[in-house]
């Protein structure tokens, strides 16, 4: 019975809007405008940047805000490259981040490839339904270019 009492989560912090710590940090980083994100990360000390990279690794594992996570990780790695390579304690974080970034980006590439293939298929169907042949479109475009 005592072990169950020890495993209970602490009450939600009203300053963090009742969110878990990782969700609150993600919400805060997502609230920063894209133009200001690089400036905000430039001001971040190395220890906090390393801690933020650990958060980013967790976000990638959850699959939340993959584009934002990739952007933050790229900026932090670029800004603190020399310190990260010189710090032995950062190695495990970087290895985890590498695996998760690669998997997340590959997932986005797969999704984009699938969507592009679907759009090309829909375009082909629309052209067939309209009775437009691809050769006719190319010939008309050539005529317009030559006439100009």
């Amino acid at each position: 019975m005592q072990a169950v009492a020890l495993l209970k989560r602490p009450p939600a912090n009203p300053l963090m809007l009742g969110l878990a710590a990782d969700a609150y940090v993600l919400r805060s980083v997502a609230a920063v405008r894209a133009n200001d994100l690089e400036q905000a990360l430039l001001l971040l000390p190395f220890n906090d940047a390393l801690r933020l990279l650990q958060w980013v690794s967790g976000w990638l594992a959850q699959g939340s805000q993959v584009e934002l996570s990739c952007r933050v990780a790229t900026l932090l790695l670029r800004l603190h490259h020399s310190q990260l390579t010189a710090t032995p304690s950062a190695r495990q974080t970087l290895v985890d981040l590498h695996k998760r970034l690669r998997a997340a980006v590959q997932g986005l590439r797969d999704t984009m490839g699938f969507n592009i293939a679907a759009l090309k298929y829909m375009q082909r169907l629309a052209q067939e339904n309209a009775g437009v042949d691809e050769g006719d479109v190319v010939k008309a475009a050539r005529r317009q270019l030559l006439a100009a």
Side-chain angles (χ1 to χ4, degrees):
M1 200 61 135
Q2 291 175 349
V4 174
L6 293 175
L7 294 176
K8 287 186 180 178
R9 290 185 131 193
N13 188 343
L15 294 176
M16 293 190 345
L17 307 173
L19 298 171
D22 61 338
Y24 182 76
V25 173
L26 177 60
R27 183 179 183 273
S28 299
V29 170
V32 177
R33 290 190 332 223
N35 298 336
D36 299 334
L37 184 62
E38 186 171 358
Q39 294 298 320
L41 293 177
L42 272 170
L43 299 174
L44 207 58
F46 174 71
N47 290 335
D48 294 335
L50 186 57
R51 194 173 309 133
L52 186 57
L53 282 174
Q54 292 169 349
W55 287 110
V56 168
S57 181
W59 299 336
L60 289 170
Q62 295 172 0
S64 12
Q65 297 271 348
V66 173
E67 296 91 353
L68 177 66
S69 299
C70 289
R71 182 178 168 134
V72 169
T74 303
L75 288 171
L76 287 175
L77 290 171
R78 194 176 44 157
L79 292 171
H80 297 286
H81 181 265
S82 58
Q83 287 178 309
L84 285 168
T85 55
T87 307
S89 62
R91 179 163 173 67
Q92 187 59 42
T93 301
L94 293 175
V95 169
D96 291 342
L97 189 64
H98 178 261
K99 290 178 193 172
R100 291 178 178 162
L101 270 173
R102 186 171 293 271
V105 169
Q106 186 60 45
L108 287 177
R109 281 184 183 165
D110 292 345
T111 302
M112 285 180 58
F114 183 79
N115 288 346
I116 288 172
L119 286 172
K120 286 181 180 178
Y121 175 75
M122 290 173 60
Q123 181 182 19
R124 231 181 2 257
L125 282 179
Q127 287 176 349
E128 287 175 6
N129 289 341
V132 177
D133 186 24
E134 195 172 316
D136 295 340
V137 173
V138 171
K139 288 177 186 175
R142 282 185 186 162
R143 272 189 245 124
Q144 285 180 347
L145 286 175
L146 294 175

